[in-house]
Amino acid sequence: MPRDARRVVVRGLAIVALVALVALAPFFFASGLMAPGWAVVTFVAVWLALLVAGLVWVRRHPVRVIPLPLVAAAFWFGGMSAGEAWLGWTG
């Protein structure tokens, strides 16, 4: 694959990853249905940090953007599961 074509594909994947990250926002903002306020603030702050990192990296380092939705989903699911198991968060 020519270098320019590869660059276009990687940039396209990075944009899809940013869209997926934005699509995860309702999960982070609705965490308050189960988690306490301090945890919701933490979840939203982490999501915002990942979004800002993705927006900064999309032009210079688009490959770094691709795993961000997976990192966000793992953080949210892991945090909510841990809170339910160890801290007694219930819906």
Side-chain angles (χ1 to χ4, degrees), residues 58-81:
V58 75
R59 289 182 126 320
R60 291 185 177 229
H61 307 287
V63 173
R64 293 181 186 175
V65 178
I66 296 169
L68 290 183
L70 298 173
V71 170
F75 176 78
W76 180 82
F77 185 75
M80 294 297 280
S81 296

Side-chain angles (χ1 to χ4, degrees), residues 1-86:
M1 182 181 306
R3 185 171 187 187
D4 290 336
R6 181 177 179 270
R7 181 177 286 160
V8 169
V9 169
V10 170
R11 176 104 10 117
L13 287 173
I15 291 170
V16 169
L18 280 177
V19 170
L21 190 60
V22 170
L24 288 171
F27 292 97
F28 285 81
F29 286 98
S31 296
L33 296 173
M34 190 170 123
W38 64 266
V40 176
V41 170
T42 303
F43 282 127
V44 171
V46 168
W47 179 81
L48 283 173
L50 291 172
L51 181 65
V52 168
L55 291 171
V56 169
W57 290 339
V58 75
R59 289 182 126 320
R60 291 185 177 229
H61 307 287
V63 173
R64 293 181 186 175
V65 178
I66 296 169
L68 290 183
L70 298 173
V71 170
F75 176 78
W76 180 82
F77 185 75
M80 294 297 280
S81 296
E84 182 181 17
W86 296 323

